[in-house]
Amino acid sequence: MKKILHIISSPKGGQSFSIQLGNAIVEKVKAAYPGSVVKIKNLTESPYPHLEEATLAAFYTPAENQTPEDKAALSHSDQAIAEIAEADVIVIGAPLWNFGIPSVLKAWIDHIARAGVTFKYSEAGIEGLIKDKVVYVAMASGGIYSSGPMQPLDFVSTYLKGLLGFLGMTDFTVFRVEGSAYPGQAEAALQKGIASIVL
Ligand SMILES: Cc1cc2nc3c(=O)[nH]c(=O)nc-3n(C[C@H](O)[C@H](O)[C@H](O)COP(=O)(O)O)c2cc1C
């Protein structure tokens, strides 16, 4: 069995392609590993706050020197990192918004990327500290970015691969529902994306 963490960042509920694709990935993981359990984290229902002065001050205060105020400022980050630590498989729904990710997903990322906790610099170089995770990204975009003229604008997959890899999550695969904005193509794009899922 696997512990699956499904991160949702589309506000579109049942109409969302990234959620439907993410759900299909979750179902495949459950089929491959009977008894798997899923925790759904909907960032649009419970968004993380932007990093503030107090959060950043606490990020850079060694644990032994942290005040109760620092610990309170770290609570969101601690919770997000603990949820990742508990999971074996992380499914991240990533709608493409203006060539980037929704700000709720970026806010979550800002809370999980923490020097000394999820990555560190040492004489040996940079080390990601979140190990042994399998990450599947469920991308959804109106246009097509995996090939063709828009491919140079495929920032989201490269950003997420780079960022999560930096934190140690190097077992990373992207599946896509793409081209749904083309007239009459939405359902075919969804079915093609779901059919592309190979674990
Ligand atoms: C605010 C917003 C910005 C968008 N920007 C882009 C874009 O830059 N490129 C693109 O191909 N599609 C864009 N789209 C279309 C979405 O990528 C597409 O609807 C996708 O299915 C959204 O994921 P979801 O269905 O999981 O919500 C945008 C949609 C919204 C709502």
Side-chain angles (χ1 to χ4, degrees):
M1 65 84 81
K2 299 287 183 191
K3 291 183 183 168
I4 306 166
L5 177 64
H6 184 185
I7 306 285
I8 285 172
S9 65
S10 168
K12 284 168 42 185
Q15 299 302 309
S16 158
F17 292 127
S18 63
I19 295 175
Q20 292 179 76
L21 184 62
N23 284 341
I25 296 168
V26 166
E27 289 309 314
K28 289 241 174 175
V29 175
K30 286 166 73 177
Y33 300 96
S36 291
V37 290
V38 188
K39 175 170 186 175
I40 296 174
K41 190 172 181 68
N42 189 325
L43 299 174
T44 72
E45 290 172 357
S46 306
Y48 280 79
H50 287 166
L51 299 184
E52 295 172 349
E53 187 180 3
T55 331
L56 294 178
F59 273 11
Y60 294 103
T61 302
E64 60 273 19
N65 297 337
Q66 283 165 6
T67 63
E69 290 75 22
D70 288 328
K71 291 187 196 308
L74 291 172
S75 62
H76 289 100
S77 173
D78 287 343
Q79 179 217 29
I81 292 169
E83 286 170 342
I84 291 175
E86 278 171 22
D88 305 301
V89 177
I90 303 164
V91 178
I92 302 176
L96 200 96
W97 277 13
N98 302 317
F99 304 116
I101 53 175
S103 59
V104 290
L105 183 55
K106 178 59 165 57
W108 175 76
I109 287 171
D110 287 339
H111 283 272
I112 65 167
R114 236 167 95 187
V117 179
T118 55
F119 68 92
K120 70 176 180 185
Y121 289 90
S122 70
E123 291 74 19
I126 302 161
E127 185 183 357
L129 300 176
I130 306 178
K131 307 270 175 70
D132 303 321
K133 307 297 176 191
V134 176
V135 176
Y136 298 112
V137 170
M139 261 184 77
S141 56
I144 294 175
Y145 296 86
S146 64
S147 62
M150 298 296 274
Q151 198 176 21
L153 300 178
D154 186 29
F155 308 127
V156 167
S157 67
T158 49
Y159 168 65
L160 291 175
K161 183 174 185 183
L163 182 282
L164 297 170
F166 179 80
L167 300 180
M169 292 177 268
T170 52
D171 189 338
F172 175 97
T173 308
V174 174
F175 301 110
R176 302 172 189 249
V177 171
E178 58 178 353
S180 58
Y182 287 95
Q185 292 302 307
E187 185 56 30
L190 175 63
Q191 294 312 323
K192 188 176 174 190
I194 290 174
S196 75
I197 300 168
V198 177
L199 301 186

